[in-house]
Amino acid sequence: MLDQLNTLKEKALCELNELTEVTQLPEWHRQYLSKKGELTQFLKQLGQLSAEERPAVGKAANEVKQALKEHFDAYQENLQEAKLNQALESDEIDISLPGRRYHRGRLHISTQMLRRINEIFSQMGFQVYDAPEVESDEYNFQLLNIPAYHPARDMWDTFWINDQVVLRTHTSPGQIRAMKEYYPKPIRVILPGKVYRYEQITPRSEHQFYQVEGLAVGHNIKMTDLIGVMAEFAHKLYGSTRKIRIRGSYFPFTEPSIEIDMDCILCKGNGCRVCKHTGWLEVGGAGMVHPVVLKNGGYDPDEWSGFAFGLGVERPAMLKHGINDIRSFYSNDLDFLQQF
Ligand code: DAH
């Protein structure tokens, strides 16, 4: 029996030494050392031995079991280490490889300009007021003193959702919403947002673009307050040497209405292609809030007055960066957008 035991031991060790993969180890363990393994089966035969033989064989069997266990553990450790070394040597992790470039997102050029405009007006005490892009005919036109069939409606080519609902053609309807919400408090808000026009798309005009509306309502607000705010805005955005001028104009929701210009930032007023040789660039429309509009917002025009303005966002960005095609803003061309 001792011979059998030795043969078993040699066979087991011999097979163990032939294993080359860590994954082969469990099978070997099952075959020799588990409860159903060959060594356990062997030990079960001890019962058949005589009482004199049994202790010696039992002792030898336990020694073999111990030896197999130790060999197995050592062999397992060796194989694992060899595998790790091999992985390191074969450079599975090549720490000298250049890293993958991390693509950083950035703010859209319109967003950058909007944030700059917001910042300038917030320094002058204006709060941002949000108004919806889908508007009723009532808010987009009627409450702004533009009744149905009034010829002034021709100023805004409109996307109609149905005969009551439009995509807002300007940010002005937000004036009414702000007044209705703030009444009877004084107001100083700007309303930045997207507007829509049913217009041909050309390098100079898009069917969607941004505006920033402004509204101040209070006691004793005058045209000079408006002009002061516009001048401050031009100085902050384009530099303190900018000059502004005002021209009489017409908007149904302001009386009187003005157009604000600024001396051309490219030719400094001498005349160039960008300012169409006038020396002046348009900044936006503005005026004193029409009494009818104040009333529609809940404010009594005998006690309250206010000014309003509407500024473009893409145009200043185009000027600042020398962009000559407004369509670039919405064509999702990353090469274009990543420049800013
Ligand atoms: N809503 C006008 C437009 O889109 C711009 C405008 C002009 C807004 C005069 C105003 C304003 O608030 O007073 O053409």
Side-chain angles (χ1 to χ4, degrees):
M1 268 201 103
L2 284 176
D3 282 348
Q4 274 182 33
L5 195 59
N6 269 331
T7 316
L8 178 62
K9 181 184 171 189
E10 262 156 43
K11 184 174 145 238
L13 289 181
C14 192
E15 281 178 19
L16 182 66
N17 283 330
E18 269 163 25
L19 302 183
T20 52
E21 296 288 336
V22 185
T23 50
Q24 297 169 322
L25 290 173
E27 179 53 37
W28 184 93
H29 192 272
R30 206 171 303 126
Q31 195 182 338
Y32 292 105
L33 287 174
S34 73
K35 280 201 182 119
K36 288 191 179 154
E38 289 185 29
L39 194 62
T40 321
Q41 297 306 321
F42 181 86
L43 287 170
K44 279 185 186 155
Q45 298 171 29
L46 286 182
Q48 300 163 9
L49 293 175
S50 64
E52 298 91 67
E53 283 175 308
R54 214 179 290 154
V57 178
K59 188 169 170 246
N62 276 326
E63 277 167 9
V64 167
K65 192 176 181 184
Q66 194 57 34
L68 287 185
K69 255 191 189 156
E70 278 166 18
H71 273 93
F72 177 82
D73 288 346
Y75 202 80
Q76 172 163 270
E77 204 170 302
N78 276 345
L79 271 188
Q80 280 168 343
E81 205 176 294
K83 193 179 174 214
L84 183 66
N85 284 336
Q86 197 188 1
L88 288 176
E89 270 166 33
S90 71
D91 261 1
E92 260 177 45
I93 306 161
D94 178 356
I95 54 167
S96 68
L97 261 184
R100 292 210 182 93
R101 232 191 130 115
Y102 173 61
H103 264 288
R104 286 180 73 190
R106 64 187 67 219
L107 295 176
H108 190 275
I109 177 177
S110 301
T111 309
Q112 292 180 31
M113 182 52 78
L114 273 168
R115 290 197 175 180
R116 179 72 190 118
I117 294 173
N118 286 357
E119 187 180 43
I120 292 171
F121 283 108
S122 77
Q123 285 166 2
M124 290 190 265
F126 287 79
Q127 279 178 290
V128 171
Y129 189 89
D130 238 347
E133 290 180 19
V134 180
E135 267 295 7
S136 60
D137 178 291
E138 189 187 13
Y139 275 80
N140 195 78
F141 294 121
Q142 294 167 41
L143 294 173
L144 289 168
N145 202 26
I146 315 164
Y149 302 108
H150 193 284
R153 287 204 177 200
D154 288 353
M155 292 168 76
W156 298 276
D157 298 310
T158 309
F159 282 113
W160 293 88
I161 305 282
N162 57 41
D163 58 7
Q164 305 293 324
V165 181
V166 302
L167 294 184
R168 66 175 174 191
T169 57
H170 49 177
T171 41
S172 305
Q175 289 188 30
I176 305 286
R177 294 186 179 274
M179 283 192 272
K180 287 194 172 182
E181 186 173 326
Y182 278 92
Y183 181 80
K185 284 181 259 180
I187 301 176
R188 212 189 292 172
V189 291
I190 53 168
L191 305 101
K194 183 83 74 67
V195 302
Y196 302 84
R197 301 270 173 95
Y198 184 53
E199 265 178 53
Q200 175 116 8
I201 300 171
T202 72
R204 303 281 305 158
S205 64
E206 252 290 357
H207 63 207
Q208 54 176 349
F209 52 94
Y210 282 96
Q211 285 188 334
V212 175
E213 190 85 9
L215 174 70
V217 177
H219 298 292
N220 252 330
I221 289 193
K222 299 191 188 70
M223 180 68 103
T224 43
D225 298 318
L226 169 61
I227 296 169
V229 166
M230 290 293 100
E232 176 72 6
F233 170 70
H235 293 160
K236 285 259 170 68
L237 191 57
Y238 296 105
S240 56
T241 53
R242 289 275 75 77
K243 288 196 283 278
I244 66 159
R245 73 170 185 186
I246 60 169
R247 285 179 287 126
S249 186
Y250 170 74
F251 299 103
F253 30 86
T254 42
E255 179 58 38
S257 303
I258 59 170
E259 205 90 45
I260 297 141
D261 297 339
M262 170 182 79
D263 58 334
C264 179
I265 56 171
L266 293 177
C267 63
K268 309 274 184 294
N270 295 321
C272 66
R273 212 170 53 85
V274 171
C275 61
K276 299 195 192 102
H277 303 283
T278 61
W280 296 92
L281 296 168
E282 283 177 27
V283 175
M288 300 308 289
V289 183
H290 196 290
V292 168
V293 175
L294 278 175
K295 212 181 288 170
N296 289 342
Y299 288 79
D300 179 355
D302 289 334
E303 280 182 42
W304 300 83
S305 60
F307 66 73
F309 55 84
L311 310 170
V313 176
E314 283 85 354
R315 285 273 144 71
M318 289 169 79
L319 272 177
K320 185 172 166 205
H321 299 291
I323 302 163
N324 49 26
D325 192 333
I326 197 172
R327 294 173 298 184
S328 314
F329 285 76
Y330 297 105
S331 51
N332 288 335
D333 175 352
L334 277 184
D335 283 341
F336 169 79
L337 294 172
Q338 281 173 344
Q339 297 175 82
F340 310 106

